[in-house]
Amino acid sequence: ERVNDLSIYELHVRDFSVGDSTVPAQHQGTYLAFTDTHSNGMRHLSKLADAGLKAVHLLPTFHFNSINEDKSTWLQTPSLSGYPPDGQQQQAAVAAIQSSDGYNWGYDPDHYLAPEGGYAVNPDERVKEYREMVMGLHHSGLRVIQDVVFNHTSGFGEASNSILDEVVPDYYNRLDADGNLETGSCCADTATEHLMMGKLQQDAILWNAKKYKIDGFRFDI
């Protein structure tokens, strides 16, 4: 098969099933929704595969910072139906809880070698559930492409989620000649020109390809 024959469907794990009533309630918004072969979503993906779709591109799924994996802490946007369509109340209601709900694109990575627990039914079972998701997509005839965000980290310096700085301070992130953090990618840039940061990136890709049977990768920036 030629590379230019590859057709790709971009998909957000939570959006795929969080509002699908044909998915068991416990599975909605999670990896395991992709194992429910008779749901509307999976039947649709299977039909697309039969029609020639080759791969699903998942928005970031390794552990990121913006979602609390304890779902009991999540807040929900209240009904917006009572607000006028030309007012600002709807936007204000969404903004009021947006940092405490269960939704984010995931471009704020913490760990490159661990799946995001917020998409798991049980965060302690995230590895098993992630593998089941990939298996479900493969069984539907689709390859799986990961969106990988190696170009920055969500934490730096003394931040509580500054994971790599706890290993070797000021090594994994890119600094300018004066020792100031570079943020060209919007957040704390990583320094893949440094040997061990480059190795971390390569190891993460190989790990996901070998252990999770990922078929391809989309590099952010």
Side-chain angles (χ1 to χ4, degrees):
E1 181 179 291
R2 296 178 301 174
V3 173
N4 57 343
D5 288 333
L6 184 64
S7 52
I8 301 171
Y9 187 109
E10 184 179 279
L11 186 151
H12 185 281
V13 169
R14 186 167 184 265
D15 278 1
F16 172 70
S17 62
V18 72
D20 187 348
S21 61
T22 65
V23 173
Q26 189 181 28
H27 290 182
Q28 290 175 12
T30 74
Y31 301 127
L32 293 186
F34 295 91
T35 68
D36 298 309
T37 57
H38 298 296
S39 70
N40 287 344
M42 286 307 295
R43 285 190 295 174
H44 180 63
L45 286 182
S46 294
K47 289 179 180 178
L48 290 175
D50 291 340
L53 182 67
K54 301 299 182 184
V56 163
H57 158 210
L58 299 175
L59 269 68
T61 53
F62 46 36
H63 179 234
F64 51 86
N65 184 254
S66 49
I67 292 181
N68 189 331
E69 295 181 357
D70 179 0
K71 295 181 177 63
S72 68
T73 67
W74 290 0
L75 301 179
Q76 299 289 332
T77 305
S79 173
L80 306 177
S81 60
Y83 298 130
D86 57 349
Q88 298 183 9
Q89 296 94 326
Q90 294 185 15
Q91 182 176 344
V94 172
I97 58 93
Q98 66 182 4
S99 62
S100 301
D101 62 3
Y103 178 80
N104 196 283
W105 279 7
Y107 289 94
D108 53 338
D110 280 341
H111 295 95
Y112 296 127
L113 293 166
E116 167 56 38
Y119 294 150
V121 172
N122 179 358
D124 292 337
E125 299 282 338
R126 70 186 72 195
V127 170
K128 179 176 180 289
E129 292 186 26
Y130 198 100
R131 288 173 171 164
E132 290 184 62
M133 171 186 68
V134 176
M135 187 180 298
L137 286 166
H138 282 166
H139 282 170
S140 70
L142 294 165
R143 302 174 193 176
V144 180
I145 297 171
Q146 275 186 344
D147 198 324
V148 288
V149 190
F150 294 115
N151 52 293
H152 59 243
T153 55
S154 60
F156 173 77
E158 297 182 4
S160 60
N161 64 320
S162 183
I163 310 301
L164 296 178
D165 261 355
E166 293 183 7
V167 180
V168 181
D170 295 335
Y171 176 81
Y172 289 92
N173 292 95
R174 182 174 296 126
L175 308 180
D176 64 17
D178 296 322
N180 299 309
L181 176 68
E182 295 277 12
T183 58
S185 65
C186 87
C187 308
D189 292 354
T190 54
T192 47
E193 65 273 18
H194 294 170
L195 179 64
M196 294 309 293
M197 181 58 216
K199 186 177 188 300
L200 174 59
Q201 175 180 278
Q202 294 162 25
D203 287 349
I205 292 169
L206 289 172
W207 180 264
N208 281 288
K210 292 179 178 179
K211 302 298 183 180
Y212 293 98
K213 309 302 180 187
I214 296 299
D215 303 288
F217 300 89
R218 178 267 176 185
F219 286 80
D220 187 40
I221 307 186

